[in-house]
Amino acid sequence: MPQSLIGIFGGTFNPVHVGHVRAAIEVAEALGLGGVEFVPAARPPHKCGEPMLDFPFRERLCRLAVEDVPGFSVNAMEAGRPGPSFTWDTLETLGRERPETAFCFILGQADLPQLPTWKNGLALGRLAHLAVHSREGQGLEAFAAFMSAHAREMEAVPTADPARWNLPQGRVMTFVPITRLDVSASDVRERWRRGRRIHGLVAEAVRHELENHAEALEAVWGRRAPA
């Protein structure tokens, strides 16, 4: 992959945690990305029942989480778009507005089995390179099995490297093993509700922001137990 590639890391980030940032760093280093843009979803279609912090707050937390990471930034493009936050629409808009830039969409392996249910999910490789990072103990074998099962729909062709498949228009889909960090947003929320410490699970700037808005968090996540 060329050095000029920009990574696109989408998600609800409810809240953003160290696992998100570390995954993005390791993918960027492995693929030589020129930068990574965190793109918070305004209205995630697959998580409509999840207690969601409002978009401006999640965006602010993302900016705090990546402010000291060189080459990382936050793109709030989904805030002003109507309807659900579909990845296809995001990548299509990026390609139209920034035709001179090549993009690499980053997703966790836990999301890979859900790709066929996304809007044009198996066709995302027509808009961007794709990078799948390992998560929750899942590895190359699961990635290869998914690719083999959906190769025809994705127009994907295997290479000599089982972690790399060729996609249409010279793009590639790559599996990237990363350091296993068993951190999830749901765990952070549950620890917060129980009055337990979340030090080390989120960036310190993010933790301070959460603590400073405890009342607003209680309105969304539920009442916090006494520490």
Side-chain angles (χ1 to χ4, degrees):
M1 290 186 181
Q3 286 290 124
S4 58
L5 267 181
I6 297 299
I8 299 298
F9 194 11
T12 55
F13 304 118
N14 184 45
V16 62
H17 54 70
V18 295
H20 292 131
V21 178
R22 190 63 217 170
I25 289 173
E26 295 196 24
V27 171
E29 290 181 338
L31 302 184
L33 302 182
V36 174
E37 297 178 12
F38 279 53
V39 183
R43 289 162 290 278
H46 287 82
K47 297 189 178 182
C48 55
E50 182 177 297
M52 193 75 60
L53 298 173
D54 66 38
F55 182 87
F57 191 58
R58 288 184 287 118
E59 177 199 351
R60 185 160 70 251
L61 294 179
C62 284
R63 293 190 187 281
L64 291 171
V66 304
E67 62 183 353
D68 294 326
V69 184
F72 279 33
S73 61
V74 176
N75 186 327
M77 62 181 289
E78 295 198 355
R81 286 172 39 209
S85 302
F86 292 118
T87 298
W88 175 269
D89 296 341
T90 298
L91 294 177
E92 194 173 46
T93 300
L94 285 169
R96 183 174 61 252
E97 294 181 348
R98 295 155 66 183
E100 74 291 346
T101 303
F103 296 101
C104 177
F105 181 68
I106 302 169
L107 68 156
Q109 192 163 359
D111 292 323
L112 194 59
Q114 304 304 317
L115 205 58
T117 71
W118 293 14
K119 178 182 178 180
N120 300 329
L122 295 178
L124 291 180
R126 298 176 188 170
L127 301 178
H129 297 276
L130 302 176
V132 179
H133 65 80
S134 57
R135 188 175 180 186
E136 299 172 356
Q138 298 172 314
L140 180 57
E141 184 176 343
F143 170 79
F146 177 89
M147 295 303 297
S148 296
H150 298 283
R152 178 173 294 183
E153 302 100 309
M154 298 178 71
E155 301 179 64
V157 179
T159 70
D161 181 353
R164 181 185 173 99
W165 288 64
N166 290 328
L167 298 174
Q169 302 178 41
R171 298 188 177 96
V172 297
M173 184 164 183
T174 309
F175 172 78
V176 182
I178 66 171
T179 304
R180 179 172 177 175
L181 294 176
D182 291 331
V183 183
S184 68
S186 60
D187 181 51
V188 172
R189 294 195 301 269
E190 182 60 25
R191 288 174 183 273
W192 186 89
R193 277 194 294 265
R194 295 189 179 195
R196 299 171 64 184
R197 294 179 180 178
I198 57 173
H199 298 70
L201 299 178
V202 299
E204 274 299 282
V206 170
R207 185 183 67 79
H208 284 300
E209 191 73 1
L210 292 172
E211 295 290 351
N212 289 338
H213 294 81
E215 186 174 334
L217 264 64
E218 286 190 355
V220 179
W221 289 351
R223 183 165 296 278
R224 190 179 193 186

